Amino acid sequence: MVSMPVVICRPGARAAPLAEAIGAAGFAVEYGEVMALEALPESRAMRSAWLDFDQFQRVVVTSPFAAECLAEALDLYWPQLPVGVEYYGVGPSTAEALYNALGVRVHVPPPRAGEPSSETLLSLGTLQRLEGQRTLLVAGEGGRTLLAETLAERGARLTHLAVYRRRLLEPSPALQCRLRAGDYHALVVSSGEILEHLARWCSHAALDQPLIVSSHRLATLAGTLGFRVPVVASGATPAALAAAVARARDPEETDVDHDDLEKG
């Protein structure tokens, strides 16, 4: 067991499977709770979408927590799901959450498409021509607008619902001490918003410690924030992030894309 802990900053219930995967690889784990996910109260627009859910041809979901919020709403309005709806998830974790909660088949970008992202989802053939098709986009407040803009540009009759908010939290005194001292084996972050938030507390020592990120896009952001050892996992799943933590032991084995960092 490595003496210094791996600090994970994944919000919500998804932190536990990540901690389990990293622990199984032989590392001590500490939770860094710096973001809360909060479901939004049902709005008139939400209620209208849930009541008319059978009118949508396509439902696009951007995160596992958005999937959970969708499933809870549908459970109230649709004891039996309507047929003929095509579901899409940005990545495998979102697809898994939809399948577990609703038992539905979910379209996701194939592994060969690269890191799961809005861009790779939009590359799917069935999302290229959407003229007149009613499409529901279920997401959190804020965040990137690429999905909504592109689906609308491709002709979709789009309903865009924000079903939850992200609330940043000040790190605990213990975590602030770790970030000042760089007193950890690695820091695991899979959200740009969290990464920018944490950077405010990171000392030079912390910036020199391995930072595990889930995409090259986040590695690029990390470089602009001053992190000098970003290690890019093959994805945002617990297994992929745990494997990247293990690789971080050996600097020669880390996947740092310096060209990507320089491009910004």
Side-chain angles (χ1 to χ4, degrees):
M1 181 75 72
V2 175
S3 57
M4 288 195 300
V6 174
V7 178
I8 62 172
C9 296
R10 171 163 281 179
R14 294 177 67 216
L18 177 57
E20 182 178 351
I22 294 173
F27 297 89
V29 177
E30 283 189 12
Y31 291 88
E33 296 185 12
V34 293
M35 177 182 280
L37 303 179
E38 301 173 342
L40 293 171
E42 184 181 76
S43 65
R44 183 176 299 177
M46 286 184 202
R47 187 170 187 273
S48 177
W50 309 146
L51 288 170
D52 293 340
F53 193 76
D54 59 335
Q55 301 300 306
F56 291 104
Q57 281 90 29
R58 305 185 190 281
V59 175
V60 180
V61 184
T62 64
S63 72
F65 193 64
E68 293 174 18
C69 293
L70 172 64
E72 289 182 10
L74 294 180
D75 187 56
L76 295 175
Y77 289 92
W78 293 90
Q80 183 173 343
L81 285 176
V83 298
V85 180
E86 298 286 330
Y87 297 84
Y88 295 80
V90 167
S93 296
T94 302
E96 182 180 12
L98 283 169
Y99 178 79
N100 289 340
L102 299 176
V104 295
R105 178 176 179 268
V106 184
H107 299 276
V108 291
R112 64 179 180 277
E115 300 158 356
S117 65
S118 298
E119 288 85 352
T120 55
L121 180 67
L122 288 167
S123 72
L124 292 178
T126 53
L127 290 179
Q128 300 307 303
R129 299 180 61 85
L130 302 171
E131 290 85 353
Q133 295 185 24
R134 292 196 64 178
T135 302
L136 176 63
L137 176 59
V138 184
E141 280 187 340
R144 304 176 71 197
T145 59
L146 178 67
L147 269 176
E149 292 172 353
T150 305
L151 293 172
E153 288 171 0
R154 293 177 180 177
R157 294 170 57 196
L158 185 67
T159 298
H160 185 184
L161 292 182
V163 294
Y164 72 96
R165 66 167 62 94
R166 307 169 187 85
R167 182 166 57 88
L168 291 170
L169 309 173
E170 183 171 305
S172 67
L175 179 56
Q176 289 186 39
C177 287
R178 287 209 179 275
L179 295 175
R180 283 196 298 267
D183 183 24
Y184 51 84
H185 173 71
L187 179 65
V188 182
V189 180
S190 55
S191 157
E193 191 175 3
I194 290 176
L195 185 58
E196 290 179 320
H197 181 56
L198 284 174
R200 299 166 49 196
W201 282 275
C202 286
S203 66
H204 287 292
L207 294 174
D208 283 333
Q209 290 294 84
L211 171 72
I212 313 302
V213 293
S214 55
S215 70
H216 287 284
R217 182 173 61 86
L218 282 179
T220 300
L221 174 61
T224 67
L225 294 172
F227 290 92
R228 286 178 279 276
V229 194
V231 181
V232 182
S234 60
T237 64
L241 291 167
V245 169
R247 291 206 318 273
R249 281 180 167 176
D250 183 353
E252 294 186 359
E253 294 297 321
T254 59
D255 183 13
V256 181
D257 190 335
H258 294 287
D259 289 337
D260 196 32
L261 296 179
E262 290 168 4
K263 291 174 191 172

